[in-house]
Amino acid sequence: MPAQIIDGNALAKQIRSEVAGRTAALKAKGVQPHLAIVLVGEDPASQVYVKHKVADSEQTGLQATLQRLPADTTEADLLARIRALNDNPGVHGILVQLPLPKHMDSHRVIETISPAKDVDGFHVASAGALMVGQPGFWPCTPYGCLKMLDSIGYDLKGKYAVVIGRSNIVGKPMAMMLLGRDATVTIAHSRTADLKALTRQADVVVAAVGKRNVLTADMVKPGAVVIDVGMNRNDEGKLCGDVDFDGVKDVAGWITPVPGGVGPMTRAMLLVNTITAAERAAH
Ligand code: NAP
């Protein structure tokens, strides 16, 4: 039997409606939840992402303001703007769109955002909070993946999960979240000796690499849950993931498509983090 599809668009829609309800409740108390987005430069992909983030926010009743800065903005100027947003009680979430121009130190920029407003979950304090199980903000992409597992009622306790990719924004936090749910977790990466030997045993595989066909049908245990984070282009220029969807869907129990899988969930979880930041500030 082919795998069941975990529909990221449908789940994201449901989450946006929950966020809209939470936003309305906060507005009724006189608080307007507000996300501040800072975009430096003219990167075309970043412009599209930022446009979506503003539209998603407005659709759920969140206020979103976008500061567009020229590519030659100094790092000192950017840091000053972030500090001003930190000090503004009317701003609940701050997002600096990455990548930044080369003359800026992204790490220093992210560390300047107040952890209480770090809705991307990239601050080292957010990473630390996830690591030790304290409240903080979880990075939107792995958080969205976890929600997808929850949406199918999947109990991770005692299950074996393999996360392919060890980036700070996807792979590592994903592994921490799965560990927090009592899965046994392996993180694989480009130097992993025998990826197939690991994934063939896995109940859950999360592929977050950025290369097509990293996971093929012969690498998947029958019935496994396969979450595809990757965003690549195939030979026809169409968006595709890291997973050979057509092959793997005949082996896996559940699978996420690309497009329409993790992507919409990433966008939805930014809204969740923003309303959560506003609720925390209001208490
Ligand atoms: P990244 O920082 O480039 O990390 C990629 C990881 O994959 C690295 O840890 C790398 O290992 C590992 N890797 C590379 N080749 C491998 C191989 N052949 N076998 C096993 N592991 C391999 O990328 P990222 O930011 O985590 O993003 C990963 C993918 O997810 C990209 O396609 C990105 O566009 C996509 N993405 C999608 C969303 C979404 O919303 N859908 C959000 C974020 C990212 P090393 O550490 O050893 O180099």
Side-chain angles (χ1 to χ4, degrees), residues 21-50:
R22 289 167 65 183
T23 303
L26 216 48
K27 280 182 171 174
K29 292 185 191 162
V31 178
Q32 169 61 66
H34 181 183
L35 171 66
I37 302 173
V38 183
L39 174 64
V40 188
E42 308 287 328
D43 179 66
S46 293
Q47 309 243 23
V48 174
Y49 292 144
V50 157

Side-chain angles (χ1 to χ4, degrees), residues 126-208:
S126 302
L130 171 58
M131 176 83 111
V132 299
Q134 293 286 315
F137 292 106
W138 289 3
C140 301
T141 299
Y143 193 7
C145 295
L146 195 67
K147 285 280 178 194
M148 293 180 108
L149 288 164
D150 288 343
S151 77
I152 59 167
Y154 196 80
D155 183 5
L156 284 157
K157 193 178 296 175
K159 297 295 198 309
Y160 179 48
V162 173
V163 178
I164 317 174
R166 56 174 162 180
S167 72
N168 289 332
I169 61 169
V170 189
K172 283 187 211 164
M174 184 77 255
M176 283 300 130
M177 289 174 204
L178 295 168
L179 191 62
R181 293 290 187 84
D182 295 329
T184 302
V185 185
T186 295
I187 307 178
H189 47 77
S190 68
R191 309 296 170 89
T192 295
D194 188 351
L195 182 61
K196 182 174 168 177
L198 301 173
T199 57
R200 277 186 68 87
Q201 295 180 54
D203 303 300
V204 176
V205 181
V206 181

Side-chain angles (χ1 to χ4, degrees), residues 28 86 93 96 106 115-116 128 143 173 205 219 225 230 252 258 277:
N86 287 342
V96 178
S106 300
Y143 193 7
V205 181
M219 299 169 75
V225 185
V258 179

Side-chain angles (χ1 to χ4, degrees), residues 19 27 41 47 51 58 102 112 123 132 142 164 176 183 185 197 215 222 230 235 262 265 267 283:
V19 170
K27 280 182 171 174
Q47 309 243 23
K51 205 172 98 185
E58 288 171 351
K102 289 199 171 29
T112 303
H123 194 290
V132 299
I164 317 174
M176 283 300 130
V185 185
L215 194 76
D235 292 337
V262 175
M265 289 302 294
R267 287 168 57 178
H283 277 122

Side-chain angles (χ1 to χ4, degrees), residues 247-263:
V248 171
K249 76 173 187 336
D250 292 334
V251 183
W254 289 270
I255 190 167
T256 69
V258 179
V262 175

